[in-house]
Amino acid sequence: MAQFVRNLAEKAPALVNAAVTYSKPRLATFWYYAKVELVPPTPAEIPTAIQSLKKIINSAKTGSFKQLTVKEALLNGLVATKVWMWFYVGEIIGKRGIIGYDV
Amino acid sequence: MVPPVQVSPLIKLGRYSALFLGMAYGAKRYSFLKPRAEEERRLAAEAKKKPDEQKRIERELAEAQEDTILK
């Protein structure tokens, strides 16, 4: 046991270094995409968003959503599901636990 | 590398509002469930007290009545 702990303490810096070298380029790629795709909407974009929302409500009212192809409808459904999943991520953050409420 | 795609503002707005709504919902529900769980634990502990007392009395009675010389 003591031998194991000593081995670990000797090899730990090398392991940490290896982990950092492995993750640096991947983090860089992630950051490169996240900077454009995951940023919150700037206040200037909100009117555009409200316009798109109005268009969607309009298409629901006039029934023009039936003109969508099935492929488009499926893609829209997938995007909507992805947006809704952020709600559950927020709930996990709010309840401070991954599975279940830790009361 | 593929250039990053420009996400529509509606989707961005939807995502972040869903995130904050989720956080608010999680926090509210947690604060709602916490006192209820404590109350239930308290009731369970109290309901457990009487049978535990009975068991203790029975055990002491049994010990007093058994006749071994190895006491």
Side-chain angles (χ1 to χ4, degrees), chain B:
Chain B
M1 280 202 287
V2 183
V5 71
Q6 293 290 345
V7 187
S8 111
L10 176 63
I11 297 183
K12 281 197 252 193
L13 188 67
R15 272 189 199 152
Y16 279 92
S17 29
L19 186 73
F20 287 121
L21 274 173
M23 280 207 269
Y25 174 76
K28 280 238 166 71
R29 192 147 173 85
Y30 183 75
S31 60
F32 170 76
L33 286 176
K34 202 170 163 68
R36 290 199 167 206
E38 280 172 1
E39 182 69 22
E40 186 181 323
R41 270 198 288 260
R42 191 180 63 85
L43 285 174
E46 280 195 19
K48 199 168 161 295
K49 243 177 32 176
K50 248 184 11 158
D52 271 354
E53 190 70 22
Q54 297 281 42
K55 272 193 233 154
R56 191 182 66 84
I57 292 179
E58 275 181 34
R59 192 165 45 88
E60 294 199 352
L61 227 52
E63 263 187 32
Q65 280 181 353
E66 65 177 349
D67 39 322
T68 92
I69 53 174
L70 300 170
K71 277 268 183 47

Side-chain angles (χ1 to χ4, degrees), chain A residues 31-98:
Chain A
W31 193 240
Y32 169 69
Y33 284 116
K35 252 192 327 207
V36 179
E37 297 184 4
L38 285 181
V39 288
T42 68
E45 289 178 356
I46 300 190
T48 335
I50 301 194
Q51 292 289 65
S52 321
L53 191 59
K54 283 207 182 120
K55 221 169 38 147
I56 293 184
I57 298 183
N58 218 356
S59 94
K61 258 198 291 196
T62 66
S64 69
F65 67 89
K66 295 186 225 162
Q67 307 292 338
L68 285 173
T69 68
V70 173
K71 179 172 174 178
E72 280 181 11
L74 272 175
L75 286 176
N76 289 351
L78 273 178
V79 171
T81 313
K82 278 201 292 185
V83 167
W84 188 241
M85 285 304 137
W86 282 52
F87 174 83
Y88 293 117
V89 171
E91 189 186 351
I92 287 180
I93 300 178
K95 66 181 175 171
R96 291 188 179 81
I98 299 194

Side-chain angles (χ1 to χ4, degrees), chain A residues 14-28:
Chain A
L15 285 174
V16 169
N17 268 335
V20 169
T21 339
Y22 176 82
S23 58
K24 258 212 172 81
R26 286 165 176 78
L27 266 175

